[in-house]
Amino acid sequence: TVLIARHLGEKKPEQIGSVIGGAAIVFTAISVGLFIVMVCFAHPIAILMQAPAEAVELTTVYIRICGGGIFFIVAYNLLSAIFRGLGDSKSPLLFVLVACIINVFGDLILVAGFHMNAAGAAIATIFAQAISVVFAVVLLIKKELPFKIRKKDFCLNPQCKKFLIIGLPLALQEFLTQMSFLALCAFVNRLGLEASSGYGVACKIVNFAMLVPSALMQSMASFSQNVGAGKSKRAKRSMFTGIGVGLVVGCFVFALVFLKGDVLSGFFSTDADVIQNGFAYLKGFAPETILTAVLFSMIGYFNGNDKTLWVMTQGLIQTLLVRLPMAYIMSIQPNASLTKIGLAAPVSTAVGIMLNIGFYVYLNRKK
């Protein structure tokens, strides 16, 4: 996304074809690696996550099926990144819409209808992603592009080094962040099946709550077109606009999650204990919906300015020094609760905001 937007801003669209071709080769290799790990080691992964004994087999099946379809998941994200880099955020929205509709109907048919449990949910997800990939490819072929993709672009070319320099720090940070969430899941699993199920329900709601901040972060990265064109002030304005929009939405989501989290949890479960556990986690997590509006917009701005090494550094500080230790400490207390564990997220994000404000001031003084 960053490189495509940068080349457009620099009026060098002829370099975009090799960016996409190189990315296709690199991400295919990554997909192969993920496929092998997730399919061959699904059971050890489920054990490592400390899934409750009665859920280990279901977890293993879900991981294995998603691992088998990892090519579609990676391709879907790669194609969405291309459209965003071109300044087209509507097409990825259509891909998500198509995937969501198919996923919902797939769950209704396979899970509710044929009672396929976790396997049905995984198959529905992969099938939805596959259809979205086909839809995205057709749209990309029909779209009038400001560049051409040639057969010779599909190789390990100099552009690969560029996007790996930008992307590897982000990939490492995202990998460790997701590992921290797996560790958090393991901490929660030790509290029992009801706590684990409640946390799973809460995570569904959290994913919805994070949609706007995540979208703003991706939008900020696309604004690197302005950086490429030498219009850094416009890029700064976009960051502050993103923070403002995110705060307005975040305050509304905070009130909804904090006050009506039990109602939201009720959409995903009919078990009263599971609903209450989900609500308990959401109470602690709720401030995160406001704080991420600031953090994600700043991260997107730094990504667009090639400051991905900094983004990785602040992310690791948040994850390894704040979120994980706090969640672990809260989980081993005699009166451990999901609310206290949920607080680890907003506390670590608050630390991240302070770090990023300091870095932003440092960059401005340096310039």
Side-chain angles (χ1 to χ4, degrees), residues 176-186 199 281 285 288 319 323-324 345:
L176 292 174
T177 299
Q178 293 303 326
M179 289 298 290
S180 77
F181 281 115
L182 289 178
L184 179 60
C185 186
Y199 173 72
Y281 180 82
F285 177 87
E288 177 81 344
T319 301
R323 186 188 299 123
L324 268 183

Side-chain angles (χ1 to χ4, degrees), residues 98-170:
V98 169
C100 285
I101 292 172
I102 294 172
N103 205 346
V104 168
F105 279 102
D107 284 339
L108 288 172
I109 295 168
L110 299 178
V111 181
F114 289 96
H115 305 290
M116 292 177 67
N117 296 322
I123 292 170
T125 298
I126 295 302
F127 182 70
Q129 296 278 23
I131 296 297
S132 291
V133 168
V134 173
F135 183 62
V137 170
V138 171
L139 210 61
L140 191 64
I141 292 172
K142 290 188 175 182
K143 190 178 179 70
E144 285 190 24
L145 300 172
F147 60 90
K148 290 184 178 180
I149 305 175
R150 296 158 296 183
K151 189 181 291 186
K152 67 177 184 179
D153 290 327
F154 291 90
C155 64
L156 295 176
N157 53 56
Q159 293 288 356
C160 295
K161 182 179 178 181
K162 288 184 181 179
F163 70 68
L164 286 173
I165 289 172
I166 296 173
L168 278 178
L170 296 178

Side-chain angles (χ1 to χ4, degrees), residues 324-352:
L324 268 183
M326 183 175 175
Y328 176 72
I329 291 169
M330 292 299 182
S331 69
I332 61 174
Q333 299 300 313
N335 58 342
S337 70
L338 288 178
T339 300
K340 292 178 180 178
I341 294 174
L343 278 170
V347 170
S348 66
T349 300
V351 171

Side-chain angles (χ1 to χ4, degrees), residues 31-46:
S31 299
V32 171
L34 290 172
F35 173 85
I36 294 170
V37 171
M38 293 177 71
V39 172
C40 297
F41 301 99
H43 193 267
I45 291 171

Side-chain angles (χ1 to χ4, degrees), residues 61-109:
V61 169
Y62 189 90
I63 293 171
R64 189 164 285 138
I65 293 173
C66 285
I70 197 71
F71 297 99
F72 297 117
I73 294 173
V74 173
Y76 164 81
N77 283 284
L78 177 60
L79 288 163
S80 294
I82 293 169
F83 280 98
R84 291 191 190 99
L86 294 171
D88 179 2
S89 60
K90 293 179 181 178
S91 295
L93 173 63
L94 285 174
F95 307 156
V96 171
L97 180 63
V98 169
C100 285
I101 292 172
I102 294 172
N103 205 346
V104 168
F105 279 102
D107 284 339
L108 288 172
I109 295 168

